[in-house]
Amino acid sequence: MSVSRAQGFDITHKRKLNIAALAVHGMMILSALVAVLVTVGIVFSLAFEAWLFFEKVSFWDFLFGTNWSPQTALRADQVGASGSFGAIPLITGTLLISFIAMAIATPIGLASAIYLAEYAQKQTRDVVKPLLEVLAGIPTVVYGFFAALTLAPFIRMTGEGAGLEVASESALAAGVAMGIMIVPLISSLSDDVINSVPQSLRDASLGMGATHSETIRKVILPAALPGIAGSLLLATSTAIGETMIVVMAAGLAANMTLNPLDSVTTITVQIVVLLTGDQEFDSAKTLSAFALGLLLFFATLALNVTALKIVKRFREQYD
Amino acid sequence: MTDSFTQHSPHLANRHAAEIRFQWAGRVAIFLALAFLFVMIGSIFYKGTGAFWRTYVALDIDLSKDAIDPQDLAGASYGGLVKKALKAKFPDVKARRDRRKLYGLVSSDAAFALRKWAEENPAELGGVRKFWFVASDDVDVLRKGGIDVEGKESDRRVSDKELKWVATLAAEGRIEQRFNWAFFTSGDSREPELAGILSALVGSAWSLLVCFFLSFPVGIMAAIYLEEFSKKGWWSDLLEVNINNLAAVPSIVFGLLGLAIFLNTFGLPRSSPLVGGMVLALMTLPTIIIAARAALRAVPPSIREAALGIGASPLQSTFHHVLPLAMPGMLTGAIVGMARALGETAPLLMIGMVAFIADVPQSILEPATALPVQIFLWADSPERAFLEKASAAIIVLLFFLVVMNLIAIVLRRRMEQRF
Amino acid sequence: MAYALEKSDAAQLGPSEAVASDPALISAVDVDVFYGEKQALKGISLDVPEHRVTSLIGPSGCGKTTFLRCLNRMNDLIDVCRVEGEIKIAGQNIYAPEVDVVSLRAQVGMVFQKPNPFPKSIFENVAYGPRIHGLASKKSDLQGTVEASLKRAGLWEEVSDRLDHPATALSGGQQQRLCIARAIAVEPKVILMDEPCSALDPIATAHIEELIDELRQKFTIIIVTHSMQQAARVSQHTAFFHMGVLVEHGKTEQIFTTPNDERTESYITGRIG
């Protein structure tokens, strides 16, 4: 039997230039590049404007100055014409409100996550989890509205009833609203993390007669700690960068205080105040907003990178 | 250790008590979070539903030839006619200050409404006719029970005299609440009783349109590249880390980027939905990429193998077979991203979409505002009647968010059934 | 006390064949276990003698692990699981309403298929049980307990100098011996072992088997195993499960040399399983 000729069986590669395919490939790569360009754009535009600012105001005065009053004078010879740009009061204000928010959100978020992951019946989970997600879906302007118009007066009334002096735009009101806003962030991430702790560890602990809560506190939580820490860092970063709640519910005066009943201002509030309304483009006042933006960007970036790294390492450990 | 399994030593009792306490801590936490949710939503509905109704006052207007000359409709003093009708109703109000208050019972819109009616119905002029006019915001708030009438006169925006007038009108059946269609059909106004959300809604719609048409194609292309074509290595790692971090960058930073690049460098029109949409698109992009990648990953590899097995190129396999299957998942992600963008306020403040906009924007280049920004502006206003509007606008915003999320949930359900 | 030898489906032998030297510590009577609608165990009646090693053998899915987990009520953790019948340990029905699972499990310890040390130090792993049960009030007591348990588990020599090292860094066999040390640190009466060697290499397995034999002096041990050789090496009594029923049980040598049921014989000779 002779071997028939492989007619039409041509498997050698024909290098035909397929323009359409190349174009699609190019577009895909460009699209992926956009994501990188955005980051680069953020860093460069903020850094450029901030650089212009630091030509007018010294970097050290900005970072370590304790007086923030950016109003530039109408006339050049007025007192304090240059304004002063010490960011410390803004940083302490931001940290105070974020701290209040975390102090509210950490226990509530963690306890909810533990209850939902370890105790709740399926039906309860199916109802409560989406409801908690609703908290995350509500726009922050709504939280701000509620904090400014309902929560703040309520806190003020209660505080004054107890003989305390409460500012009408207290850090507490903004912090509480922000805290509730980040509860779902903590609870859903922690829930995931707790669920990924292997069942064998639960069995080991329960099998030697530990109660469920002992198992959770002494075995599951320590094992889940890195993941939980990551979720807390992400939540902190969200709190620091949150804008609308503080714009609506926190104050404008740059007070340096740790009293939650006082009024403080934050980095994001000042950015909004400096950049809304009429502005001249190269005044120190306007440029300072970009310096604050740069500060905010790097602070949240550091938190996010750390958090994502911790969570990733945690996931790998139990995969 | 004892032989008994039932013995309740004090130590064991303590441990069980701790167990119960621990479980209760969880229940209390969930209760607190949900209670806050319900109180917040409840209070907003409680405050806001009133804005869907508004108060009207009926006045008898003299339409005789002396008052309005049918030959010269533009020459008539419609405002004067409304004032005359009020004066006729309360003839014993003499002092100028009181008169001014009396005229303030109806909205400044009354004269325009009357004129519009006269121009549309010239044949019906003559005689005296009863007209329903929009009441002023103070009367509106008063009728909705927003003013403490028992309190000291100096503490409230409505004086005792005004209270008496309103009471008289109400007794004669000249005050009514009607559904406030104008809230949905008009733009912002300095007068709370005339303000509506249409201009803000249209501004939001334009911005979201721009946002969708920029972020969806780019996001999907980027996701396909990362999931199906890019080789594992430093480059894909960099993209991955970069996208994850971008998803967590505060939204206001995107606003700063838009201000510095789109407005100051490219000179695009300030306050326009175009720039607003571009900023929102950058913000939404990571969300869409992450969701689209998950959707691609959910497509079983067997589909790819089947396509490649019959000689399709990787590009054909992806676009003909994988992409259609992943589409519902990608759309779900896009809708969730759009819902987030719809509620976003801070970056829009940065690019100037915060101005007073009464007219409905006709294109993506005209100055506009957006629904959440409108809420922010009204919430900031000192007049009480605007707070009601802000609450009502929040209700509308939440309605849209619920609808969008429901669509996303339905899409996701259908997709889960498929695989 | 009698050590019962009976067939679960139709008793061909008399209900009890006295083995005077082996008094029963655990006795299960007519135990049924359901997972939702599905019945996993049917009418299991089995006596387990004190201070002996009893092995439960049978093909996969035959219910031997389910039965093991009934003995310290680990099945309670599965919502759809329902246990009927009576299981008595030292004369007490462990499914009686007044029984406290926590104190039951403190006395019926368990070692699992895969070594599952807590991600903590070696010391903390062993000290965990005594701590939660309040067995050691002083630090020195606790150290004593940990040392004794590790010695009894044959691990002390290997880890005495690095008690503060993470337990997860130990080898698989060491981890499993640590889990045994952790279980015996609370001085249980019974230790349940669910295929403790299935994840280990032959040398580590030999180590554990030796250990099981020593531990029998002090504890009653029930071991689920896939390996016939292991059952033959470590246990004095053997029970053979097949498709949710207890086919037969008795002294190990009798089961392996002269099984009464042909299913047992098929399994032992490798024809099913």
Side-chain angles (χ1 to χ4, degrees):
Chain A
M1 204 179 129
S2 67
V3 178
S4 65
R5 268 187 62 201
Q7 216 157 20
F9 187 72
D10 182 6
I11 54 169
T12 52
H13 187 64
K14 282 204 194 102
R15 206 165 257 290
K16 243 196 312 184
L17 193 67
N18 189 338
I19 305 275
L22 268 183
V24 173
H25 261 287
M27 267 160 62
M28 288 195 299
I29 294 177
L30 267 181
S31 300
L33 259 178
V34 168
V36 180
L37 284 181
V38 174
T39 309
V40 174
I42 288 173
V43 173
F44 275 87
S45 62
L46 292 184
F48 177 72
E49 309 276 352
W51 178 259
L52 295 180
F53 171 72
F54 290 128
E55 282 183 343
K56 295 174 195 276
V57 176
S58 122
F59 178 73
W60 301 112
D61 288 350
F62 172 72
L63 211 52
F64 298 108
T66 54
N67 183 19
W68 178 266
S69 49
Q71 54 281 357
T72 26
L74 296 171
R75 297 193 317 272
D77 55 340
Q78 247 176 337
V79 194
S82 58
S84 69
F85 295 93
I88 292 287
L90 308 190
I91 295 172
T92 55
T94 305
L95 291 180
L96 175 63
I97 291 183
S98 303
F99 178 79
I100 296 170
M102 291 305 289
I104 299 271
T106 307
I108 293 185
L110 269 183
S112 317
I114 291 169
Y115 188 82
L116 288 177
E118 295 285 332
Y119 289 108
Q121 306 253 304
K122 193 177 174 300
Q123 298 98 303
T124 318
R125 260 180 88 89
D126 287 351
V127 174
V128 172
K129 274 196 89 169
L131 278 177
L132 284 180
E133 298 299 321
V134 167
L135 277 175
I138 291 178
T140 54
V141 70
V142 179
Y143 283 96
F145 182 80
F146 182 72
L149 295 160
T150 309
L151 210 52
F154 173 76
I155 288 174
R156 188 176 180 161
M157 224 174 60
T158 319
E160 276 169 358
L164 295 166
E165 201 178 306
V166 185
S168 59
E169 297 182 313
S170 62
L172 189 59
V176 169
M178 198 188 273
I180 299 292
M181 183 200 83
I182 52 183
V183 161
L185 201 73
I186 295 179
S187 71
S188 71
L189 258 171
S190 303
D191 192 348
D192 284 356
V193 165
I194 290 170
N195 275 324
S196 60
V197 172
Q199 183 63 28
S200 66
L201 291 185
R202 275 181 201 92
D203 285 350
S205 174
L206 293 171
M208 36 197 316
T211 65
H212 202 155
S213 68
E214 284 162 351
T215 303
I216 294 167
R217 278 184 286 127
K218 294 180 179 158
V219 177
I220 297 177
L221 288 186
L225 196 62
I228 290 171
S231 83
L232 294 183
L233 283 184
L234 275 182
T236 311
S237 146
T238 309
I240 289 176
E242 169 47 38
T243 308
M244 290 321 292
I245 295 178
V246 281
V247 165
M248 296 173 83
L252 296 177
N255 295 326
M256 270 226 280
T257 174
L258 291 178
N259 179 358
L261 301 178
D262 265 352
S263 161
V264 295
T265 193
T266 71
I267 297 176
T268 49
V269 169
Q270 288 305 313
I271 295 177
V272 169
V273 170
L274 292 166
L275 291 182
T276 47
D278 297 323
Q279 16 165 312
E280 331 135 50
F281 221 77
D282 48 357
S283 78
K285 186 181 155 192
T286 311
L287 293 174
S288 68
F290 288 92
L292 289 176
L294 194 66
L295 184 65
L296 181 67
F297 177 74
F298 279 117
T300 52
L301 184 75
L303 285 171
N304 296 339
V305 172
T306 322
L308 291 172
K309 213 170 242 174
I310 293 176
V311 172
K312 195 173 170 211
R313 202 172 299 157
F314 170 80
R315 290 259 151 82
E316 282 162 359
Q317 186 186 339
Y318 287 116
D319 268 350
Chain B
M1 278 281 110
T2 63
D3 283 355
S4 165
F5 311 133
T6 55
Q7 189 210 23
H8 283 280
S9 65
H11 178 68
L12 196 57
N14 281 340
R15 288 170 62 195
H16 284 304
E19 171 73 33
I20 302 290
R21 281 199 301 275
F22 192 75
Q23 287 191 27
W24 273 103
R27 290 197 190 99
V28 168
I30 291 175
F31 171 79
L32 283 177
L34 295 186
F36 189 98
L37 174 69
F38 288 121
V39 168
M40 182 164 78
I41 302 287
S43 82
I44 284 165
F45 270 77
Y46 177 74
K47 279 185 197 155
T49 38
F52 296 115
W53 276 267
R54 70 177 165 177
T55 309
Y56 285 75
V57 177
L59 294 176
D60 298 322
I61 302 288
D62 176 15
L63 299 174
S64 66
K65 229 178 171 137
D66 300 341
I68 304 175
D69 181 355
Q71 256 59 58
D72 181 21
L73 287 175
S77 161
Y78 297 97
L81 290 176
V82 174
K83 287 179 184 168
K84 218 173 87 189
L86 279 163
K87 240 185 321 190
K89 192 85 220 131
F90 300 101
D92 42 340
V93 178
K94 294 278 195 275
R96 268 183 70 181
R97 261 186 47 204
D98 291 345
R99 281 256 174 91
R100 207 179 303 140
K101 276 200 170 142
L102 178 63
Y103 301 154
L105 288 182
V106 293
S107 162
S108 60
D109 177 56
F112 298 108
L114 186 57
R115 178 175 174 168
K116 204 174 151 219
W117 181 87
E119 284 168 354
E120 283 168 8
N121 307 287
E124 293 186 42
L125 286 173
V128 174
R129 199 183 171 104
K130 194 174 171 188
F131 279 92
W132 288 95
F133 294 112
V134 177
S136 72
D137 60 318
D138 286 342
V139 174
D140 191 57
V141 173
L142 173 68
R143 293 298 295 172
K144 286 172 184 164
I147 287 173
D148 175 22
V149 290
E150 306 293 325
K152 268 202 346 235
E153 187 177 4
S154 55
D155 287 351
R156 47 180 141 87
R157 283 178 63 94
V158 181
S159 69
D160 286 344
K161 279 186 186 135
E162 286 169 291
L163 284 180
K164 223 174 68 197
W165 298 331
V166 173
T168 313
L169 288 169
E172 293 177 22
R174 287 176 173 276
I175 290 191
E176 235 178 64
Q177 302 264 319
R178 296 183 183 174
F179 191 76
N180 186 4
W181 289 108
F183 184 66
F184 298 99
T185 56
S186 53
D188 196 7
S189 167
R190 301 279 180 215
E191 306 296 334
E193 71 273 17
L194 302 177
I197 54 167
L198 186 66
S199 54
L201 265 183
V202 173
S204 272
W206 280 127
S207 306
L208 282 193
L209 212 65
V210 173
C211 171
F212 180 81
F213 281 109
L214 288 177
S215 62
F216 191 61
V218 172
I220 284 185
M221 292 296 252
I224 294 176
Y225 176 72
L226 286 171
E227 206 53 41
E228 309 276 330
F229 292 99
S230 82
K231 297 202 173 53
K232 280 259 160 276
W234 66 271
W235 168 239
S236 67
D237 282 353
L238 175 80
L239 285 174
E240 174 116 34
V241 168
N242 183 55
I243 288 165
N244 285 337
N245 280 317
L246 220 45
V249 167
S251 61
I252 194 170
V253 171
F254 289 97
L256 287 172
L257 173 75
L259 173 60
I261 304 247
F262 299 149
L263 296 187
N264 294 344
T265 311
F266 295 165
L268 294 175
R270 200 175 142 83
S271 312
S272 66
L274 173 66
V275 178
M278 287 166 79
V279 168
L280 292 178
L282 297 185
M283 208 194 76
T284 325
L285 195 59
T287 318
I288 292 187
I289 296 181
I290 291 169
R293 291 185 68 178
L296 286 170
R297 237 171 286 152
V299 176
S302 59
I303 303 273
R304 293 178 186 82
E305 285 160 10
L308 295 174
I310 53 169
S313 73
L315 211 57
Q316 285 168 328
S317 144
T318 304
F319 281 87
H320 296 171
H321 301 282
V322 179
L323 191 58
L325 288 174
M327 208 29 116
M330 293 176 163
L331 275 175
T332 308
I335 294 170
V336 170
M338 291 298 123
R340 239 191 83 196
L342 175 60
E344 198 53 68
T345 322
L348 302 183
L349 300 182
M350 296 292 92
I351 54 145
M353 285 184 86
V354 65
F356 171 78
I357 307 284
D359 298 322
V360 175
Q362 301 297 320
S363 79
I364 55 170
L365 297 173
E366 281 177 34
T369 183
L371 194 50
V373 181
Q374 187 73 72
I375 293 167
F376 167 64
L377 287 172
W378 281 343
D380 235 19
S381 138
E383 269 172 279
R384 205 197 140 92
F386 273 125
L387 295 187
E388 191 187 68
K389 300 278 167 186
S391 303
I394 290 177
I395 296 173
V396 174
L397 177 64
L398 292 180
F399 169 78
F400 278 108
L401 292 179
V402 167
V403 169
M404 291 170 92
N405 281 298
L406 282 181
I407 294 173
I409 289 171
V410 170
L411 266 176
R412 189 175 299 154
R413 285 267 161 80
R414 285 176 62 181
M415 185 177 57
E416 276 167 2
Q417 278 165 8
R418 196 132 39 126
F419 297 127
Chain C
M1 191 53 215
Y3 175 55
L5 250 182
E6 65 182 10
K7 298 217 18 181
S8 57
D9 37 1
Q12 290 170 354
L13 294 168
S16 63
E17 180 191 308
V19 182
S21 60
D22 293 349
L25 177 69
I26 303 173
S27 94
V29 181
D30 216 11
V31 174
D32 292 319
V33 178
F34 301 87
Y35 290 115
E37 295 296 297
K38 197 174 155 276
Q39 187 164 9
L41 285 181
K42 294 169 203 153
I44 307 295
S45 295
L46 176 69
D47 282 0
V48 177
E50 198 169 5
H51 294 307
R52 294 289 179 272
V53 178
T54 301
S55 55
L56 311 181
I57 61 170
S60 307
C62 64
K64 53 195 192 303
T65 297
T66 300
F67 182 71
L68 190 77
R69 290 171 74 100
C70 286
L71 298 178
N72 70 345
R73 291 181 58 175
M74 283 302 272
N75 283 336
D76 288 15
L77 300 175
I78 303 162
D79 284 339
V80 294
C81 183
R82 203 170 81 247
V83 179
E84 284 169 10
E86 192 184 67
I87 299 176
K88 279 187 171 167
I89 299 183
Q92 291 180 71
N93 182 0
I94 61 168
Y95 280 91
E98 69 272 16
V99 164
D100 188 284
V101 254
V102 166
S103 52
L104 168 69
R105 289 182 192 146
Q107 292 168 73
V108 184
M110 190 154 189
V111 175
F112 297 84
Q113 200 166 353
K114 263 171 65 186
N116 53 359
F118 301 131
K120 301 176 175 210
S121 71
I122 294 169
F123 181 88
E124 285 301 320
N125 262 279
V126 184
Y128 179 74
R131 272 220 182 98
I132 56 169
H133 295 297
L135 295 182
S137 44
K138 280 183 296 187
K139 199 158 189 262
S140 55
D141 287 357
L142 193 61
Q143 276 163 343
T145 311
V146 170
E147 182 176 338
S149 308
L150 283 170
K151 275 185 177 149
R152 237 191 280 160
L155 195 61
W156 177 252
E157 307 277 287
E158 292 157 61
V159 300
S160 60
D161 55 335
R162 45 180 174 138
L163 290 176
D164 54 341
H165 285 216
T168 41
L170 295 174
S171 75
Q174 288 173 321
Q175 285 189 6
Q176 196 61 301
R177 275 181 281 148
L178 178 68
C179 291
I180 292 172
R182 187 175 64 187
I184 58 186
V186 290
E187 306 268 325
K189 290 194 92 60
V190 182
I191 300 177
L192 309 175
M193 296 187 173
D194 185 2
E195 300 190 36
C197 302
S198 65
L200 305 181
D201 61 70
I203 296 170
T205 302
H207 238 94
I208 303 267
E209 285 178 2
E210 262 169 53
L211 174 60
I212 290 172
D213 202 49
E214 280 162 33
L215 289 175
R216 153 170 88 87
Q217 311 298 326
K218 209 159 174 228
F219 308 100
T220 302
I221 293 171
I222 304 178
I223 176 170
V224 164
T225 176
H226 242 101
S227 146
M228 241 74 60
Q229 292 85 339
Q230 184 169 64
R233 283 193 299 266
V234 299
S235 67
Q236 290 77 50
H237 294 268
T238 296
F240 172 62
F241 284 72
H242 185 61
M243 296 177 76
V245 294
L246 174 60
V247 175
E248 69 175 301
H249 65 281
K251 295 216 166 191
T252 300
E253 49 194 81
Q254 178 254 312
I255 295 280
F256 277 87
T257 50
T258 54
N260 288 318
D261 193 288
E262 64 182 85
R263 284 170 293 180
T264 316
E265 196 178 343
S266 310
Y267 181 69
I268 289 167
T269 52
R271 265 179 284 146
I272 54 171

